[in-house]
Amino acid sequence: MEIERTRIDIVNCAKTYADGTRGLQTTNLTVEPGEVLALLGPSGCGKTTLLRMIAGLESPDAGSRISFGDTDVTHVPIEHRNVGMVFQHYSLFPQMSVQANIGYGLKIRGTPDAERQRIVGELVDLVRLNGLEKKRPAELSGGQRQRVALARAVAAKPRVLLLDEPLTALDAKLKESLRDELADLLRRLHITAVHVTHDQQEALAIADRLAVMRAGRIVQ
């Protein structure tokens, strides 16, 4: 499955909330095409704010610019940015099979059935869920659910994949095995990804490069 590798440019981006709190100090950052970048830091350091701005879930202050490749997406709403997202709790549809969960976004977009089945089939292979296509999320392990969430996020070939603390909800032992699996999957997808975490081991295992954040700015 060919996914476009997109460069992300974050230029003079800042976020001030209505009450005057600075969620993000002026930040400049480039994520290279196909690179996995981790935003690492404690709660409240600005990493999730930055991720939400890349997604289009938060609007940045005036003078900020966010580009995907040659496209300025600063004021483009999330539904037109073509981003894939994976959250802590995976948010899978409990009543739907693995297959239906992965293909859900394609169905909404009106992708023809044959094309949808082909893409879902490729992704089932890629994330090694063969034989589980008809299962519901409740019948899967934590690791399998994570793979379904990832496959669903990339099914529509997003330009950028955003991961918001995807391993936080798991116990330590499972977290470790899934960390390596996630790293392997991202390498196989060759997709530009931004991964938010407060866990240094996780960041080191998964990312090509780390941006360490503290008090709303990148310090390293």
Side-chain angles (χ1 to χ4, degrees):
M1 178 162 156
E2 266 312 296
I3 291 180
E4 177 189 357
R5 300 180 185 194
T6 304
R7 173 185 163 113
I8 305 171
D9 284 300
I10 294 157
V11 182
N12 296 331
C13 272
K15 176 70 182 177
T16 309
Y17 289 101
D19 63 1
T21 313
R22 285 304 286 271
L24 185 71
Q25 306 289 346
T26 304
T27 297
N28 291 289
L29 182 66
T30 295
V31 187
E32 297 299 338
E35 179 178 44
V36 180
L37 176 88
L39 299 174
L40 175 68
S43 289
C45 71
K47 59 190 190 298
T48 298
T49 302
L50 181 51
L51 189 84
R52 288 174 64 84
M53 280 163 52
I54 297 169
L57 292 166
E58 295 272 6
S59 44
D61 294 353
S64 304
R65 186 167 66 80
I66 299 172
S67 304
F68 291 174
D70 299 330
T71 315
D72 184 335
V73 296
T74 316
H75 302 295
V76 173
I78 179 168
E79 62 273 20
H80 299 307
R81 281 194 193 195
N82 195 10
V83 294
M85 295 197 74
V86 179
F87 299 102
Q88 286 179 27
H89 299 294
Y90 308 150
S91 321
L92 299 174
F93 299 110
Q95 75 286 10
M96 285 187 192
S97 68
V98 164
Q99 233 163 0
N101 262 293
I102 295 173
Y104 180 75
L106 297 169
K107 189 174 183 178
I108 295 291
R109 281 185 164 85
T111 307
D113 284 355
E115 170 75 350
R116 189 168 82 237
Q117 283 168 346
R118 184 186 64 74
I119 293 171
V120 170
E122 277 186 33
L123 282 164
V124 164
D125 281 349
L126 185 72
V127 299
R128 305 191 183 113
L129 288 166
N130 308 73
L132 301 173
E133 295 90 340
K134 301 278 186 271
K135 299 260 190 217
R136 304 252 168 110
E139 303 171 83
L140 303 175
S141 68
Q144 289 163 342
R145 283 200 288 268
Q146 183 192 42
R147 282 184 262 163
V148 176
L150 249 178
R152 185 181 62 182
V154 299
K157 301 190 178 174
R159 301 187 72 184
V160 170
L161 180 64
L162 304 174
L163 304 130
D164 189 9
E165 307 249 9
L167 305 179
T168 302
L170 306 170
D171 64 61
K173 196 168 180 186
L174 184 57
K175 202 182 218 175
E176 205 163 305
S177 63
L178 281 191
R179 196 175 67 195
D180 300 334
E181 201 169 286
L182 181 57
D184 175 53
L185 270 176
L186 290 172
R187 297 295 170 281
R188 280 190 282 147
L189 284 167
H190 302 298
I191 192 169
T192 307
V194 180
H195 172 225
V196 161
T197 180
H198 60 268
D199 180 330
Q200 192 178 337
Q201 294 315 112
E202 186 183 311
L204 289 167
I206 290 171
D208 299 312
R209 201 159 52 106
L210 310 186
V212 180
M213 296 190 71
R214 198 165 51 232
R217 63 176 82 241
I218 293 175
V219 291
Q220 192 177 322

